[in-house]
Coordinates of all heavy atoms in Angstrom, one line a residue:
M1 N -8.2 -16.9 -2.7 CA -7.6 -15.6 -3.2 C -6.2 -15.8 -3.8 O -5.4 -16.5 -3.3 CB -7.6 -14.7 -2.0 CG -7.3 -13.2 -2.4 SD -7.4 -12.1 -1.0 CE -9.2 -12.1 -0.8
D2 N -6.0 -15.0 -4.9 CA -4.7 -15.1 -5.6 C -3.6 -14.6 -4.7 O -3.6 -13.4 -4.2 CB -4.8 -14.3 -6.8 CG -3.6 -14.4 -7.7 OD1 -2.5 -14.8 -7.2 OD2 -3.8 -14.2 -8.9
E3 N -2.6 -15.4 -4.4 CA -1.5 -15.0 -3.5 C -0.7 -13.8 -4.1 O 0.0 -13.2 -3.3 CB -0.6 -16.2 -3.2 CG -1.2 -17.1 -2.2 CD -0.3 -18.4 -2.1 OE1 0.9 -18.3 -2.4 OE2 -0.9 -19.4 -1.7
K4 N -0.7 -13.7 -5.4 CA 0.1 -12.6 -6.0 C -0.5 -11.2 -5.9 O 0.2 -10.3 -6.3 CB 0.5 -13.0 -7.4 CG 1.5 -14.2 -7.5 CD 1.7 -14.6 -8.9 CE 2.4 -15.9 -8.9 NZ 2.0 -16.7 -10.1
L5 N -1.7 -11.1 -5.5 CA -2.3 -9.8 -5.4 C -1.6 -8.9 -4.4 O -1.3 -9.4 -3.3 CB -3.8 -9.9 -5.0 CG -4.7 -10.5 -6.1 CD1 -6.1 -10.7 -5.4 CD2 -4.8 -9.5 -7.2
I6 N -1.3 -7.7 -4.8 CA -0.8 -6.7 -3.9 C -1.6 -5.5 -3.9 O -2.3 -5.2 -4.9 CB 0.7 -6.4 -4.2 CG1 0.8 -5.8 -5.6 CG2 1.6 -7.6 -4.0 CD1 2.2 -5.2 -5.9
C7 N -1.6 -4.7 -2.8 CA -2.3 -3.5 -2.8 C -1.8 -2.6 -3.9 O -0.5 -2.4 -4.0 CB -2.2 -2.9 -1.4 SG -2.9 -1.2 -1.3
Q8 N -2.7 -2.0 -4.6 CA -2.2 -1.1 -5.7 C -1.9 0.3 -5.3 O -1.6 1.2 -6.1 CB -3.3 -1.1 -6.8 CG -3.5 -2.4 -7.6 CD -2.2 -2.8 -8.2 OE1 -1.6 -2.0 -8.9 NE2 -1.8 -4.1 -8.0
C9 N -1.9 0.5 -4.0 CA -1.5 1.8 -3.4 C -0.2 1.7 -2.7 O 0.7 2.4 -2.9 CB -2.6 2.3 -2.5 SG -2.2 3.9 -1.8
C10 N -0.1 0.7 -1.8 CA 1.1 0.6 -0.9 C 2.0 -0.6 -1.2 O 3.1 -0.7 -0.8 CB 0.7 0.6 0.6 SG 0.0 -0.9 1.1
G11 N 1.5 -1.5 -2.0 CA 2.3 -2.7 -2.4 C 2.4 -3.8 -1.5 O 3.1 -4.8 -1.7
M12 N 1.6 -3.8 -0.4 CA 1.7 -4.9 0.5 C 0.9 -6.1 0.0 O -0.1 -5.9 -0.7 CB 1.2 -4.5 1.9 CG -0.3 -4.6 2.1 SD -0.8 -4.9 3.8 CE 0.3 -3.9 4.8
P13 N 1.3 -7.3 0.2 CA 0.6 -8.5 -0.3 C -0.8 -8.5 0.3 O -1.0 -8.3 1.5 CB 1.4 -9.6 0.2 CG 2.8 -9.1 0.6 CD 2.5 -7.7 1.0
L14 N -1.8 -8.8 -0.5 CA -3.2 -8.8 0.0 C -3.5 -10.3 0.4 O -3.7 -11.1 -0.4 CB -4.1 -8.3 -1.1 CG -4.0 -6.9 -1.4 CD1 -4.9 -6.5 -2.6 CD2 -4.4 -6.0 -0.2
T15 N -3.7 -10.4 1.7 CA -4.3 -11.7 2.2 C -5.7 -11.4 2.6 O -6.1 -10.2 2.7 CB -3.4 -12.1 3.4 OG1 -3.5 -11.1 4.4 CG2 -2.0 -12.4 3.0
E16 N -6.4 -12.5 3.0 CA -7.8 -12.3 3.4 C -7.9 -11.3 4.6 O -8.9 -10.6 4.7 CB -8.4 -13.6 3.8 CG -9.3 -14.2 2.7 CD -9.7 -15.6 3.0 OE1 -10.7 -15.7 3.7 OE2 -9.1 -16.5 2.5
D17 N -6.9 -11.3 5.4 CA -7.0 -10.4 6.6 C -6.9 -9.0 6.3 O -7.4 -8.1 7.1 CB -5.8 -10.8 7.6 CG -6.0 -12.2 8.2 OD1 -7.1 -12.7 8.1 OD2 -5.0 -12.7 8.7
V18 N -6.1 -8.6 5.3 CA -5.8 -7.2 5.1 C -6.5 -6.6 3.8 O -6.4 -5.4 3.6 CB -4.3 -7.0 5.0 CG1 -3.6 -7.4 6.2 CG2 -3.7 -7.6 3.7
V19 N -7.2 -7.5 3.0 CA -7.8 -6.9 1.8 C -9.0 -6.0 2.2 O -9.6 -6.1 3.2 CB -8.3 -8.1 0.9 CG1 -9.6 -8.7 1.5 CG2 -8.6 -7.7 -0.5
S20 N -9.2 -5.0 1.4 CA -10.2 -4.0 1.7 C -11.6 -4.5 1.2 O -11.7 -5.4 0.4 CB -9.9 -2.6 1.1 OG -10.0 -2.8 -0.4
K21 N -12.6 -3.8 1.7 CA -14.0 -4.2 1.3 C -14.6 -2.9 0.7 O -14.4 -1.8 1.2 CB -14.8 -4.7 2.5 CG -14.3 -6.0 3.0 CD -15.5 -6.8 3.6 CE -15.1 -8.2 3.9 NZ -14.1 -8.3 5.0
N22 N -15.5 -3.2 -0.3 CA -16.3 -2.1 -0.8 C -17.4 -1.7 0.2 O -17.7 -2.5 1.1 CB -16.9 -2.5 -2.1 CG -15.8 -2.7 -3.2 OD1 -15.0 -1.9 -3.4 ND2 -15.8 -3.9 -3.8
I23 N -18.1 -0.6 -0.1 CA -19.1 -0.2 0.9 C -20.2 -1.2 1.0 O -20.8 -1.5 2.0 CB -19.7 1.2 0.4 CG1 -18.6 2.2 0.5 CG2 -20.9 1.6 1.3 CD1 -19.1 3.6 0.0
D24 N -20.5 -2.0 -0.1 CA -21.5 -3.0 -0.1 C -21.0 -4.3 0.6 O -21.8 -5.3 0.6 CB -22.1 -3.3 -1.5 CG -21.0 -3.9 -2.4 OD1 -19.9 -4.2 -1.9 OD2 -21.3 -4.0 -3.6
G25 N -19.8 -4.3 1.1 CA -19.3 -5.5 1.8 C -18.6 -6.5 0.9 O -18.0 -7.4 1.4
S26 N -18.6 -6.3 -0.4 CA -17.8 -7.2 -1.3 C -16.3 -6.9 -1.2 O -15.9 -5.8 -0.8 CB -18.3 -7.0 -2.7 OG -18.1 -5.7 -3.2
I27 N -15.5 -7.8 -1.6 CA -14.1 -7.7 -1.5 C -13.6 -6.8 -2.6 O -14.0 -6.9 -3.7 CB -13.4 -9.1 -1.6 CG1 -13.9 -10.0 -0.5 CG2 -11.9 -9.0 -1.8 CD1 -13.0 -10.0 0.7
N28 N -12.7 -5.9 -2.2 CA -12.0 -5.1 -3.2 C -10.5 -5.5 -3.2 O -9.7 -5.2 -2.3 CB -12.1 -3.6 -2.8 CG -11.4 -2.7 -3.8 OD1 -10.4 -3.1 -4.5 ND2 -11.8 -1.4 -3.9
N29 N -10.2 -6.4 -4.2 CA -8.9 -7.0 -4.1 C -7.8 -6.2 -4.8 O -6.7 -6.7 -5.2 CB -8.9 -8.4 -4.7 CG -9.3 -8.5 -6.2 OD1 -9.4 -7.4 -6.8 ND2 -9.7 -9.6 -6.6
K30 N -8.0 -4.9 -5.0 CA -7.0 -4.0 -5.4 C -6.3 -3.2 -4.3 O -5.2 -2.7 -4.5 CB -7.6 -3.0 -6.4 CG -7.8 -3.6 -7.8 CD -8.1 -2.5 -8.8 CE -8.2 -3.1 -10.2 NZ -8.5 -2.0 -11.1
Y31 N -6.9 -3.2 -3.2 CA -6.4 -2.3 -2.1 C -6.4 -3.1 -0.8 O -7.3 -3.9 -0.5 CB -7.2 -1.0 -2.0 CG -7.0 -0.1 -3.2 CD1 -7.9 -0.1 -4.2 CD2 -5.9 0.7 -3.3 CE1 -7.7 0.7 -5.3 CE2 -5.7 1.5 -4.4 CZ -6.6 1.5 -5.4 OH -6.4 2.3 -6.5
C32 N -5.5 -2.7 0.1 CA -5.5 -3.2 1.5 C -6.5 -2.3 2.3 O -6.9 -1.3 1.9 CB -4.1 -3.2 2.1 SG -3.5 -1.6 2.6
K33 N -6.8 -2.8 3.5 CA -7.9 -2.2 4.3 C -7.4 -0.8 4.9 O -8.2 -0.1 5.4 CB -8.3 -3.1 5.4 CG -7.3 -3.5 6.4 CD -7.9 -4.4 7.4 CE -6.9 -4.8 8.5 NZ -7.4 -5.8 9.4
W34 N -6.1 -0.5 4.8 CA -5.6 0.8 5.3 C -5.6 1.8 4.1 O -5.8 3.0 4.4 CB -4.2 0.6 5.8 CG -4.2 -0.2 7.0 CD1 -4.6 0.1 8.3 CD2 -3.8 -1.6 7.1 NE1 -4.5 -1.0 9.1 CE2 -3.9 -2.0 8.4 CE3 -3.2 -2.5 6.2 CZ2 -3.6 -3.3 8.9 CZ3 -2.9 -3.8 6.6 CH2 -3.1 -4.2 7.9
C35 N -5.5 1.4 2.9 CA -5.4 2.3 1.8 C -6.8 2.7 1.2 O -7.0 3.7 0.6 CB -4.6 1.8 0.7 SG -2.8 1.7 1.1
Y36 N -7.8 1.8 1.5 CA -9.1 2.0 1.0 C -10.1 1.7 2.1 O -10.3 0.6 2.5 CB -9.4 1.1 -0.2 CG -10.7 1.3 -0.9 CD1 -10.9 2.4 -1.7 CD2 -11.8 0.4 -0.7 CE1 -12.1 2.6 -2.4 CE2 -13.0 0.6 -1.4 CZ -13.2 1.6 -2.2 OH -14.4 1.8 -2.8
V37 N -10.7 2.8 2.7 CA -11.5 2.7 3.8 C -12.9 3.3 3.6 O -12.9 4.5 3.2 CB -10.9 3.4 5.1 CG1 -11.7 3.2 6.3 CG2 -9.5 2.8 5.3
D38 N -13.9 2.6 3.8 CA -15.3 3.1 3.6 C -15.5 3.8 2.3 O -16.1 4.9 2.2 CB -15.7 4.1 4.7 CG -15.7 3.4 6.1 OD1 -16.0 2.2 6.1 OD2 -15.4 4.1 7.1
G39 N -15.0 3.2 1.2 CA -15.2 3.7 -0.1 C -14.2 4.9 -0.4 O -14.4 5.5 -1.5
K40 N -13.3 5.2 0.5 CA -12.4 6.3 0.2 C -11.0 5.9 0.2 O -10.6 5.0 1.0 CB -12.6 7.4 1.2 CG -14.0 8.0 1.2 CD -13.9 9.3 2.0 CE -15.3 9.9 2.1 NZ -16.0 9.6 3.4
Y41 N -10.2 6.5 -0.7 CA -8.7 6.2 -0.7 C -8.1 7.1 0.4 O -8.3 8.3 0.5 CB -8.1 6.6 -2.1 CG -8.8 5.8 -3.2 CD1 -9.6 6.4 -4.1 CD2 -8.5 4.4 -3.3 CE1 -10.2 5.6 -5.1 CE2 -9.1 3.6 -4.2 CZ -10.0 4.3 -5.2 OH -10.6 3.5 -6.1
T42 N -7.2 6.4 1.2 CA -6.6 7.1 2.3 C -5.5 8.0 1.8 O -5.3 9.1 2.3 CB -6.0 6.0 3.3 OG1 -7.0 5.1 3.6 CG2 -5.5 6.7 4.5
Y43 N -4.7 7.6 0.8 CA -3.5 8.3 0.4 C -3.7 8.9 -1.0 O -3.9 8.2 -1.9 CB -2.3 7.4 0.4 CG -2.1 6.8 1.8 CD1 -2.4 5.4 2.0 CD2 -1.5 7.5 2.8 CE1 -2.2 4.9 3.2 CE2 -1.3 7.0 4.1 CZ -1.6 5.6 4.3 OH -1.4 5.1 5.5
K44 N -3.6 10.2 -1.0 CA -3.7 10.9 -2.3 C -2.4 11.5 -2.7 O -2.2 11.9 -3.8 CB -4.7 12.1 -2.2 CG -6.1 11.6 -2.0 CD -7.1 12.8 -2.0 CE -8.5 12.3 -1.7 NZ -8.7 12.0 -0.2
D45 N -1.4 11.4 -1.8 CA -0.1 11.9 -2.1 C 0.9 10.9 -1.6 O 0.8 10.3 -0.6 CB 0.0 13.3 -1.7 CG 1.2 13.7 -0.8 OD1 2.3 13.3 -1.2 OD2 0.9 14.3 0.2
M46 N 1.9 10.6 -2.5 CA 2.8 9.5 -2.3 C 3.7 9.7 -1.1 O 4.0 8.8 -0.4 CB 3.6 9.3 -3.6 CG 4.3 7.9 -3.6 SD 5.4 7.7 -5.1 CE 4.2 7.6 -6.4
N47 N 4.1 11.0 -0.8 CA 4.9 11.2 0.3 C 4.3 10.9 1.6 O 4.9 10.5 2.6 CB 5.4 12.7 0.3 CG 6.4 12.9 -0.9 OD1 7.2 12.1 -1.2 ND2 6.2 14.1 -1.5
T48 N 3.0 11.2 1.7 CA 2.2 10.8 2.9 C 2.3 9.3 3.2 O 2.5 8.9 4.3 CB 0.8 11.3 2.8 OG1 0.8 12.7 2.4 CG2 0.1 11.2 4.1
L49 N 2.1 8.6 2.1 CA 2.1 7.1 2.2 C 3.5 6.6 2.6 O 3.6 5.8 3.5 CB 1.7 6.5 0.9 CG 1.9 5.0 0.8 CD1 1.0 4.3 1.8 CD2 1.6 4.5 -0.6
I50 N 4.5 7.2 1.9 CA 5.9 6.8 2.3 C 6.2 7.0 3.7 O 6.7 6.2 4.4 CB 6.9 7.5 1.3 CG1 6.8 6.9 -0.1 CG2 8.3 7.3 1.8 CD1 7.6 7.6 -1.1
D51 N 5.8 8.2 4.2 CA 6.0 8.5 5.6 C 5.4 7.5 6.6 O 5.9 7.1 7.6 CB 5.5 9.9 6.0 CG 6.5 11.0 5.4 OD1 7.6 10.7 5.1 OD2 6.0 12.2 5.4
A52 N 4.1 7.1 6.2 CA 3.4 6.2 7.0 C 4.0 4.8 7.0 O 4.1 4.1 8.0 CB 1.9 6.1 6.6
C53 N 4.4 4.4 5.8 CA 5.0 3.0 5.6 C 6.4 2.9 6.2 O 6.7 1.8 6.8 CB 5.1 2.7 4.1 SG 3.5 2.3 3.4
V54 N 7.2 3.9 6.0 CA 8.6 3.8 6.5 C 8.7 3.4 8.0 O 9.5 2.6 8.3 CB 9.3 5.1 6.2 CG1 10.5 5.3 7.1 CG2 9.7 5.2 4.7
K55 N 7.8 4.0 8.8 CA 7.8 3.7 10.2 C 7.7 2.3 10.5 O 8.2 1.8 11.5 CB 6.7 4.5 10.9 CG 7.0 6.0 10.9 CD 5.8 6.7 11.6 CE 5.8 8.2 11.2 NZ 4.5 8.7 10.9
H56 N 6.9 1.6 9.7 CA 6.6 0.2 10.0 C 7.7 -0.7 9.4 O 7.7 -1.9 9.7 CB 5.2 -0.2 9.4 CG 4.1 0.6 9.9 ND1 3.7 0.4 11.2 CD2 3.4 1.5 9.4 CE1 2.7 1.3 11.4 NE2 2.5 2.0 10.3
M57 N 8.4 -0.2 8.4 CA 9.4 -1.0 7.7 C 10.8 -1.0 8.4 O 11.6 -1.9 8.2 CB 9.5 -0.6 6.3 CG 8.3 -0.8 5.5 SD 8.3 0.0 3.9 CE 9.5 -0.9 3.0
V58 N 11.1 0.1 9.1 CA 12.4 0.2 9.7 C 12.7 -0.9 10.7 O 11.9 -1.1 11.6 CB 12.6 1.6 10.3 CG1 13.9 1.7 11.0 CG2 12.6 2.7 9.1
N59 N 13.8 -1.5 10.6 CA 14.2 -2.4 11.7 C 15.8 -2.5 11.7 O 16.4 -1.7 11.0 CB 13.6 -3.8 11.6 CG 14.0 -4.5 10.2 OD1 15.2 -4.4 9.8 ND2 13.1 -5.2 9.6
E60 N 16.4 -3.4 12.4 CA 17.8 -3.4 12.5 C 18.5 -3.7 11.2 O 19.7 -3.3 11.0 CB 18.3 -4.3 13.6 CG 18.0 -5.8 13.5 CD 16.7 -6.1 14.2 OE1 15.8 -5.3 14.2 OE2 16.6 -7.3 14.6
N61 N 17.8 -4.3 10.3 CA 18.5 -4.6 9.0 C 18.0 -3.6 7.9 O 18.5 -3.8 6.7 CB 18.1 -6.0 8.6 CG 18.5 -7.0 9.6 OD1 19.7 -7.0 10.1 ND2 17.7 -7.9 9.9
F62 N 17.1 -2.7 8.2 CA 16.5 -1.9 7.1 C 16.4 -0.5 7.7 O 15.6 -0.2 8.5 CB 15.2 -2.5 6.8 CG 14.7 -2.3 5.4 CD1 15.5 -2.6 4.3 CD2 13.4 -1.8 5.2 CE1 15.0 -2.4 3.0 CE2 12.9 -1.6 3.9 CZ 13.8 -1.9 2.8
T63 N 17.3 0.4 7.1 CA 17.2 1.8 7.6 C 16.1 2.6 7.0 O 15.5 2.1 6.0 CB 18.5 2.5 7.3 OG1 18.6 2.6 5.9 CG2 19.8 1.8 7.8
E64 N 15.8 3.7 7.6 CA 14.7 4.6 7.1 C 15.1 4.9 5.6 O 14.2 5.0 4.7 CB 14.6 5.8 7.9 CG 13.5 6.7 7.4 CD 13.1 7.9 8.3 OE1 13.3 7.8 9.5 OE2 12.6 8.9 7.8
E65 N 16.3 5.2 5.4 CA 16.7 5.6 4.0 C 16.5 4.5 3.0 O 16.0 4.7 1.9 CB 18.2 6.0 4.1 CG 18.6 7.0 3.0 CD 20.0 7.5 3.3 OE1 20.2 8.2 4.3 OE2 20.9 7.3 2.4
Q66 N 16.8 3.3 3.4 CA 16.6 2.1 2.5 C 15.1 1.9 2.3 O 14.7 1.6 1.1 CB 17.2 0.9 3.1 CG 18.7 0.8 3.1 CD 19.3 -0.4 3.8 OE1 18.9 -0.6 4.9 NE2 20.2 -1.1 3.2
A67 N 14.3 2.1 3.3 CA 12.9 1.9 3.2 C 12.3 2.9 2.2 O 11.5 2.6 1.3 CB 12.2 2.0 4.5
R68 N 12.8 4.2 2.3 CA 12.3 5.2 1.4 C 12.7 5.0 0.0 O 11.9 5.1 -1.0 CB 12.9 6.6 1.8 CG 12.1 7.2 2.9 CD 12.7 8.6 3.3 NE 12.1 9.0 4.6 CZ 10.9 9.5 4.7 NH1 10.2 9.8 3.6 NH2 10.4 9.8 5.9
E69 N 13.9 4.5 -0.2 CA 14.4 4.2 -1.6 C 13.6 3.1 -2.2 O 13.2 3.1 -3.3 CB 15.9 3.8 -1.5 CG 16.9 4.9 -1.3 CD 16.7 6.0 -2.4 OE1 16.7 5.6 -3.6 OE2 16.6 7.2 -2.0
Y70 N 13.3 2.1 -1.4 CA 12.5 0.9 -1.8 C 11.1 1.4 -2.2 O 10.6 1.0 -3.3 CB 12.5 -0.1 -0.7 CG 11.5 -1.2 -0.9 CD1 11.9 -2.3 -1.8 CD2 10.3 -1.3 -0.3 CE1 11.0 -3.3 -2.1 CE2 9.4 -2.3 -0.5 CZ 9.7 -3.3 -1.4 OH 8.9 -4.4 -1.7
L71 N 10.5 2.2 -1.4 CA 9.1 2.6 -1.7 C 9.1 3.5 -2.9 O 8.2 3.4 -3.8 CB 8.5 3.3 -0.5 CG 8.2 2.4 0.7 CD1 8.0 3.2 1.9 CD2 7.0 1.5 0.4
K72 N 10.1 4.4 -3.1 CA 10.1 5.3 -4.2 C 10.3 4.5 -5.5 O 9.9 4.9 -6.6 CB 11.2 6.3 -4.1 CG 10.8 7.4 -3.2 CD 12.0 8.4 -3.2 CE 11.8 9.4 -2.0 NZ 13.0 10.2 -1.7
E73 N 10.9 3.3 -5.4 CA 11.1 2.4 -6.5 C 9.8 1.7 -6.9 O 9.5 1.6 -8.1 CB 12.2 1.4 -6.2 CG 12.5 0.4 -7.2 CD 13.4 0.9 -8.3 OE1 14.1 1.9 -8.1 OE2 13.3 0.3 -9.4
I74 N 9.1 1.1 -6.0 CA 8.0 0.3 -6.3 C 6.7 1.0 -6.5 O 5.8 0.7 -7.3 CB 7.8 -0.9 -5.3 CG1 7.5 -0.4 -3.9 CG2 9.0 -1.8 -5.2 CD1 6.7 -1.4 -3.1
L75 N 6.5 2.1 -5.7 CA 5.2 2.8 -5.7 C 4.7 3.3 -7.0 O 3.6 3.1 -7.4 CB 5.1 3.9 -4.6 CG 5.2 3.4 -3.2 CD1 5.1 4.5 -2.2 CD2 4.1 2.3 -2.9
P76 N 5.6 4.0 -7.8 CA 5.2 4.5 -9.1 C 4.7 3.4 -10.1 O 4.1 3.8 -11.0 CB 6.5 5.2 -9.6 CG 7.3 5.5 -8.4 CD 7.0 4.3 -7.5
K77 N 5.0 2.2 -9.8 CA 4.6 1.1 -10.7 C 3.2 0.6 -10.4 O 2.6 -0.2 -11.1 CB 5.6 -0.1 -10.6 CG 7.0 0.3 -11.1 CD 7.9 -0.8 -10.8 CE 9.3 -0.4 -11.3 NZ 10.4 -1.2 -10.6
L78 N 2.7 1.0 -9.3 CA 1.4 0.6 -8.9 C 0.3 1.4 -9.5 O 0.4 2.6 -9.7 CB 1.3 0.6 -7.3 CG 2.3 -0.3 -6.6 CD1 2.2 -0.1 -5.1 CD2 2.1 -1.8 -6.9
E79 N -0.9 0.8 -9.7 CA -2.0 1.4 -10.4 C -2.4 2.7 -9.8 O -2.7 3.7 -10.6 CB -3.1 0.4 -10.4 CG -4.2 0.6 -11.5 CD -5.2 -0.4 -11.4 OE1 -4.9 -1.6 -11.6 OE2 -6.4 -0.1 -11.2
H80 N -2.5 2.8 -8.5 CA -3.0 4.0 -7.9 C -2.2 5.2 -8.2 O -2.7 6.3 -8.2 CB -3.0 3.7 -6.4 CG -3.7 4.8 -5.5 ND1 -5.0 5.0 -5.6 CD2 -3.2 5.7 -4.7 CE1 -5.4 6.0 -4.8 NE2 -4.3 6.5 -4.2
W81 N -0.9 5.1 -8.4 CA 0.0 6.2 -8.6 C 0.3 6.5 -10.1 O 1.0 7.4 -10.4 CB 1.3 6.0 -7.9 CG 1.0 5.8 -6.4 CD1 1.2 4.6 -5.8 CD2 0.5 6.7 -5.5 NE1 0.8 4.8 -4.4 CE2 0.4 6.0 -4.3 CE3 0.1 8.0 -5.6 CZ2 -0.1 6.7 -3.1 CZ3 -0.3 8.7 -4.4 CH2 -0.4 8.0 -3.2
K82 N -0.3 5.7 -11.0 CA 0.0 5.8 -12.4 C -0.9 6.9 -13.0 O -0.6 7.4 -14.1 CB -0.2 4.5 -13.1 CG 1.0 3.6 -13.0 CD 0.8 2.4 -13.8 CE 2.0 1.4 -13.8 NZ 1.6 0.1 -14.4
K83 N -2.0 7.2 -12.3 CA -3.0 8.1 -12.9 C -2.4 9.5 -13.1 O -1.6 10.0 -12.2 CB -4.2 8.2 -12.0 CG -5.0 7.0 -12.0 CD -6.1 7.0 -10.9 CE -6.5 5.6 -10.5 NZ -7.1 5.6 -9.2
Ligands
ZN101 ZN1 -2.3 -0.5 0.8

């Protein structure tokens, strides 16, 4: 699998463990398994995704505000949000 693939919804790097699958069981290398589940996209609105991601990104070196800024910067560049 190409190491440079990232989820086109949340931007996380797609490794074999987190890549999503299509309903027929084939690999869908555009999305991670949290953003594309059973043939459906989990996030239809960017703010919902940001709220979900921020909680996992915050740590002693990365504040919630920084996480939000970062996501607002990268998410609009991803295919899922360009539509
Ligand atoms: Zn994702």
